[in-house]
Amino acid sequence: MAPYWTTGACTLLAALGLLSCCSFHWCEASRTSGSTSRGNRQDQGPSSLERVKRGWVWNQFFVVEEYTGTEPLYVGKIHTDSDEGEGNIKYTISGEGAGTIFIIDELTGDIHATERLDREEKAFYTLRAQARDRLSNDPLEPESEFVIKVQDINDSEPKFLEGPYIGSVAELSPIGTSVMKVTASDADDPTYGSSARVVYSVLDGEKFFKVDRHTGIIMTAVADLDRETQDRYELVVKATDMAGQMGGLSGSTTVTIVITDVNDNPPRFPQKMYQFSVSEGAAMGTPVGRVIATDADMGENTDMSYLIKEGGELFKVNTDVETQEAIVSIKKPLDFESKRTHNVVVEAVNKHVDPRFVDLGSFRDQTIVRVSVSDIDEPPIFQPAEGAVMEVQEDAKVGALVGIVTARDPDVKNKPVRFSIDRTTDQEMIFHIDPNSGAITLGKILDRETAGWHNITVKAVEADNHTMASHSAVSIRILDVNDNPPELATPYEASICEDAKPGQLIHTISVVDRDEPQSGHRFYFTLAPEDSSNRHFTLWDVKDNTAGIRTQRSGFNRHEQNVYFLPILVVDSGPPSLSSTGTLTIHVCGCDTGENYCRSSTPLLTLSSLSPPASAAALLKVLVLLILTLKRHRKGQRMAEDEEDMRDNVIKYNDEGGGEQDTQAYDMSALRNLYDFPEAKSCDSGPDIRSLPQWIQANRVGGGAEGAAAAAADFSLFKGYIRKKVEQADADLSVPPYDSFQTYAFEGTSSPALSLSSIHTLSTTSEQDFSYLSDWGPRFRQLAGYYAPGNPEEEGS
């Protein structure tokens, strides 16, 4: 059978605090006819069923806590509707507190509480009720559960579980600034009545702080809290239940509020003037004294820096980070005789200024530091202090005045000063000094060419106290006079050929002069008077302090006279003008026809040892010989043009070789490689390499300065031609990726001999006429013999 509950009307008795449940019925949904609640009953038929309505009846589920009576407190009554009052039913309870806290009358079902209950310890109890037959002890109803609630009364006061409290707020905070929050707890039932409704108030300190009645937030009540006046406040905050109504319980706690610092106070010097004393001899950086400004704030708000507003020329100030003191020290040397008292204005400034309080005033303060300078005995002072520079002519006589040094005693007494020369700086005693006047005079004759400057040290001491001494450097410059004649730079020697022509330049000479006139040297050259009518040579003054020697006649015979001595007179510009005579030695030597200079006996000449015309002639001879030798070597073995490689590598040759028969000296195959030469196939990038312009020979015979100048003038043709070839090679993408130097043997244009280039020679099969080589002079005589017209069979062999 499935039991179920049906609930009747429930009435809340607010005034009494009691809850009455008027009818709680329990019913059997159905049962067989042979079964009853009190005994067995025979069924009247196999399918006969009866419905019997049964149910529990009880009321009053609440009991008031903290009952203090002497008798058990009546809680309520349980009853079943099957009880007809005959005393056949026994009521029992079980569960929490049954038999101890709660007892039941078995006959009536009345329940009583035997102990004092506390809702804050246990708010309700759960029990089970049972109705049984007194005789058979059989259950008459199913066991039912019910709850007894302990009714709350206001017996617990509010408590601040986290107290005492400590909070903080910045000074000068505006009214209503939140400081902290306090909270009180009440153990009473917050859902029943007002026993747990707590309100807050300030008992002590309400003049400066207030608390929100409902939230417990403490706030400032004034805006002028000053940490420097009072840095903490002790408050008493009370919490009252019953929403503050009369009869409510209360609790309290203490709240300590610390006032934190803000930078609202400027630094202040305790004194407006400080006095210190220092010696005038104190070194730079010496501390004069310490001053300090006080600040009523605390922490970093007291950090300050110091600076000098007046008197910073001689003094400086630093801040001691440990003590926050200003250290005034010497910046430059002090002088008692110049100024005995200095007033230094020192200013203190807060480092961390709060912009909220700038309207309170200036956060800086000033004081005066008066420094008194005491006198000491000081050594003499030279004027000028950095030393003196004097000048004297090198021809000055002994005892001549060089200059005067000046020194004085800087003290007030102004004692006499005595002078002397430190002999370690003038060991030869070239100079003397008057001990009283400081006048420096010559002790020996001077020579500027030996020493142009003399540096000495002068010592000055007080006449009655030699420990007071000072030193000064004196530099003496020796002024030059023209006392040295000019001389030839070296013992010059020159040589000429026997067939020298008139006007030929033999040599160029220069001179030296030990003097150094301020306006510079100017020399004049002429032949010595005893040789002024020399009919062999003449002197040419170039006007740049050099002179050239030229021949005056043609034809010299070394067998008659092989050496000439030419005296040359050199005069300087003075004043006074001085002169000297030097000799140029001229040697006469035999030369081949057409030569202008004597041959050297050395087999190999370096170009640096030759004059420019001789170097050019030697280089030309080497190139011509190389080209002609190459032609002869390749004669009869020419390759087709499309198989020839015209790229020439750089090969160094130091002599003219041994002729075409010398096949061991040089490997001419290194000058060629069998690759296509793109420049020879290009038709739009410049002239064909086989048709090179030919050099104009300004002077076929050559020789002389005019021939060398003409040859140098034609070098521009070479430069332009080579530059064009370089640009052409740079633009050709088919050139292999390595560097090479190409030699074209470019002789210029319009030469009647045509080109002697190996490239040109290899590119043609025509025979050339070299008979003109015999016209080139004695030096090409042997070469002309090699290439003179002969039998073709001999050439082929």
Side-chain angles (χ1 to χ4, degrees):
M1 297 176 62
Y4 66 93
W5 290 89
T6 60
T7 304
C10 296
T11 304
L12 179 62
L13 304 178
L16 298 177
L18 301 177
L19 176 65
S20 298
C21 293
C22 299
S23 60
F24 284 79
H25 303 281
W26 176 88
C27 303
E28 283 187 9
S30 63
R31 67 173 182 163
T32 62
S33 60
S35 176
T36 64
S37 62
R38 291 191 176 99
N40 295 328
R41 180 177 293 179
Q42 298 295 326
D43 292 338
Q44 299 298 324
S47 62
S48 176
L49 296 175
E50 293 183 1
R51 291 182 178 274
V52 179
K53 187 176 183 180
R54 302 286 177 87
W56 287 100
V57 178
W58 61 73
N59 58 10
Q60 188 147 1
F61 287 83
F62 292 89
V63 59
V64 178
E65 67 171 333
E66 303 295 344
Y67 173 69
T68 58
T70 59
E71 297 295 331
L73 178 63
Y74 178 74
V75 177
K77 183 183 183 69
I78 61 173
H79 186 72
T80 177
D81 57 0
S82 63
D83 188 357
E84 298 177 353
E86 296 176 354
N88 297 326
I89 299 176
K90 181 177 68 175
Y91 295 97
T92 60
I93 59 174
S94 61
E96 295 178 331
T100 55
I101 300 176
F102 302 102
I103 59 175
I104 187 171
D105 188 326
E106 295 181 351
L107 184 61
T108 62
D110 292 333
I111 300 173
H112 291 81
T114 62
E115 296 182 7
R116 182 179 178 181
L117 302 179
D118 187 359
R119 191 201 68 81
E120 285 70 39
E121 293 183 2
K122 190 170 180 61
F124 62 89
Y125 297 83
T126 302
L127 296 94
R128 292 178 298 279
Q130 180 70 61
R132 294 179 180 272
D133 185 277
R134 184 175 292 278
L135 296 178
S136 63
N137 204 32
D138 294 332
L140 300 177
E141 302 286 353
E143 190 177 54
S144 178
E145 185 179 273
F146 65 97
V147 176
I148 297 176
K149 293 186 177 181
V150 181
Q151 180 65 50
D152 182 55
I153 65 173
N154 189 21
D155 60 340
S156 298
E157 74 279 1
K159 295 181 179 179
F160 293 93
L161 301 180
E162 299 178 359
Y165 297 88
I166 298 177
S168 64
V169 65
E171 62 177 328
L172 300 180
S173 296
I175 297 176
T177 300
S178 177
V179 179
M180 62 183 304
K181 180 179 181 179
V182 295
T183 303
S185 300
D186 195 315
D188 292 324
D189 188 359
T191 64
Y192 179 73
S194 301
S195 299
R197 292 181 59 190
V198 178
V199 294
Y200 302 91
S201 60
V202 177
L203 296 182
D204 189 9
E206 67 276 6
K207 179 180 178 182
F208 303 101
F209 298 93
K210 60 185 178 179
V211 64
D212 186 276
R213 177 180 176 84
H214 301 288
T215 63
I217 297 176
I218 300 175
M219 298 169 288
T220 58
V222 295
D224 57 352
L225 293 175
D226 186 9
R227 187 202 65 82
E228 289 73 35
T229 302
Q230 185 173 347
D231 61 353
R232 67 179 55 227
Y233 292 85
E234 301 289 341
L235 276 68
V236 177
V237 178
K238 184 177 75 170
T240 306
D241 60 12
M242 296 299 291
Q245 298 177 6
M246 186 176 295
L249 302 179
S250 64
S252 63
T253 186
T254 59
V255 179
T256 300
I257 299 178
V258 178
I259 309 301
T260 59
D261 185 60
V262 297
N263 194 9
D264 60 335
N265 292 281
R268 290 288 180 264
F269 284 103
Q271 301 174 217
K272 289 302 178 184
M273 179 177 290
Y274 296 85
Q275 290 190 352
F276 301 100
S277 178
V278 65
S279 170
E280 66 171 334
M284 291 184 293
T286 302
V288 174
R290 291 173 173 250
V291 298
I292 187 171
T294 59
D295 194 323
D297 296 320
M298 61 183 301
E300 69 173 10
N301 293 328
T302 62
D303 292 347
M304 64 187 73
S305 59
Y306 298 92
L307 53 92
I308 293 181
K309 300 297 291 183
E310 296 180 16
E313 301 84 8
L314 300 177
F315 300 91
K316 63 180 180 180
V317 63
N318 295 317
T319 303
D320 190 326
V321 295
E322 298 293 335
T323 63
Q324 291 294 302
E325 291 178 305
I327 306 173
V328 181
S329 56
I330 299 174
K331 182 178 179 181
K332 291 183 179 180
L334 304 177
D335 186 12
F336 171 82
E337 289 72 28
S338 299
K339 192 173 184 179
R340 303 183 181 184
T341 302
H342 301 270
N343 291 327
V344 182
V345 178
V346 179
E347 184 176 72
V349 183
N350 263 144
K351 286 186 177 180
H352 312 288
V353 178
D354 195 327
R356 296 176 298 172
F357 308 111
V358 292
D359 56 345
L360 298 179
S362 176
F363 282 79
R364 58 184 64 211
D365 192 25
Q366 293 182 351
T367 189
I368 298 176
V369 177
R370 177 165 292 175
V371 181
S372 298
V373 182
S374 58
D375 186 31
I376 62 171
D377 193 5
E378 299 174 86
I381 297 177
F382 281 93
Q383 294 178 342
E386 62 275 7
V389 177
M390 302 178 182
E391 295 180 344
V392 61
Q393 295 282 346
E394 66 173 323
D395 59 349
K397 300 184 182 320
V398 174
L401 177 65
V402 177
I404 299 176
V405 294
T406 303
R408 64 175 181 84
D409 183 7
D411 298 322
V412 177
K413 297 180 181 180
N414 193 17
K415 299 176 182 178
V417 177
R418 299 293 180 261
F419 300 94
S420 62
I421 294 178
D422 184 355
R423 287 305 170 186
T424 60
T425 61
D426 184 25
Q427 297 179 357
E428 298 179 3
M429 301 185 68
I430 299 175
F431 303 97
H432 297 295
I433 189 169
D434 187 284
N436 297 316
S437 65
I440 299 176
T441 57
L442 281 180
K444 291 184 178 180
I445 297 298
L446 300 174
D447 183 13
R448 188 205 64 83
E449 286 69 38
T450 302
W453 285 85
H454 293 274
N455 297 313
I456 63 174
T457 300
V458 176
K459 179 180 179 181
V461 298
E462 292 184 1
D464 57 352
N465 185 5
H466 289 183
T467 61
M468 291 291 104
S470 58
H471 299 78
S472 178
V474 178
S475 299
I476 302 173
R477 179 184 180 186
I478 310 303
L479 299 179
D480 183 53
V481 296
N482 194 24
D483 57 348
N484 292 280
E487 300 174 350
L488 293 181
T490 60
Y492 287 106
E493 291 188 7
S495 59
I496 60 172
C497 295
E498 289 180 306
D499 57 351
K501 296 178 173 52
Q504 181 177 328
L505 179 65
I506 298 176
H507 208 71
T508 302
I509 61 174
S510 61
V511 298
V512 294
D513 193 328
R514 297 176 60 191
D515 294 323
E516 292 184 359
Q518 295 182 358
S519 58
H521 287 290
R522 178 68 180 95
F523 302 111
Y524 305 93
F525 300 86
T526 183
L527 294 178
E530 63 272 14
D531 203 23
S532 59
S533 59
N534 190 305
R535 59 186 181 86
H536 304 294
F537 305 97
T538 182
L539 182 67
W540 171 43
D541 192 343
V542 187
K543 306 298 184 183
D544 61 350
N545 291 338
T546 62
I549 308 300
R550 294 180 181 273
T551 57
Q552 194 169 345
R553 67 181 180 86
S554 61
F556 293 86
N557 190 340
R558 71 177 185 275
H559 300 292
E560 296 180 358
Q561 184 175 353
N562 63 346
V563 178
Y564 291 88
F565 298 98
L566 188 64
I568 301 174
L569 178 66
V570 184
V571 183
D572 63 18
S573 56
S577 296
L578 300 179
S579 63
S580 68
T581 301
T583 301
L584 172 64
T585 303
I586 303 174
H587 300 274
V588 180
C589 58
C591 303
D592 292 338
T593 304
E595 288 186 340
N596 298 320
Y597 300 95
C598 295
R599 292 187 189 180
S600 171
S601 60
T602 304
L604 296 179
L605 293 177
T606 61
L607 296 181
S608 60
S609 64
L610 299 178
S611 62
S615 299
L619 181 61
L620 178 60
K621 185 175 181 180
V622 171
L623 290 176
V624 171
L625 181 60
L626 175 62
I627 294 168
L628 294 179
T629 304
L630 180 61
K631 174 183 178 302
R632 298 284 293 183
H633 183 73
R634 296 285 294 178
K635 188 172 182 180
Q637 304 178 19
R638 297 189 181 95
M639 301 174 61
E641 290 185 8
D642 55 351
E643 296 180 355
E644 287 182 336
D645 180 21
M646 301 306 176
R647 179 181 292 106
D648 293 342
N649 294 330
V650 179
I651 304 298
K652 181 178 179 181
Y653 296 95
N654 293 327
D655 59 17
E656 299 178 359
E660 63 178 342
Q661 300 303 322
D662 186 3
T663 60
Q664 302 299 323
Y666 303 99
D667 183 9
M668 295 302 176
S669 62
L671 298 176
R672 301 178 181 82
N673 288 316
L674 298 179
Y675 292 97
D676 290 339
F677 192 57
E679 298 178 20
K681 301 177 182 180
S682 175
C683 60
D684 55 356
S685 60
D688 190 348
I689 195 169
R690 296 186 299 270
S691 59
L692 299 175
Q694 297 174 335
W695 177 36
I696 300 176
Q697 283 188 320
N699 188 354
R700 289 185 61 184
V701 178
E706 293 81 5
D714 286 339
F715 286 163
S716 60
L717 297 175
F718 289 94
K719 294 180 181 178
Y721 180 76
I722 293 176
R723 181 167 54 252
K724 182 185 299 183
K725 289 300 180 180
V726 170
E727 294 174 354
Q728 180 178 343
D730 290 341
D732 190 353
L733 300 180
S734 63
V735 174
Y738 59 83
D739 295 338
S740 64
F741 184 90
Q742 299 179 359
T743 303
Y744 300 103
F746 177 36
E747 289 88 15
T749 59
S750 302
S751 172
L754 300 179
S755 173
L756 295 180
S757 168
S758 62
I759 299 175
H760 182 78
T761 304
L762 290 176
S763 63
T764 179
T765 58
S766 62
E767 193 68 30
Q768 298 187 31
D769 182 12
F770 297 100
S771 59
Y772 58 85
L773 292 177
S774 59
D775 299 332
W776 283 15
R779 280 179 291 183
F780 293 94
R781 190 173 300 155
Q782 185 177 2
L783 187 63
Y786 291 154
Y787 291 93
N791 193 347
E793 285 76 6
E794 293 179 0
E795 293 183 2
S797 62

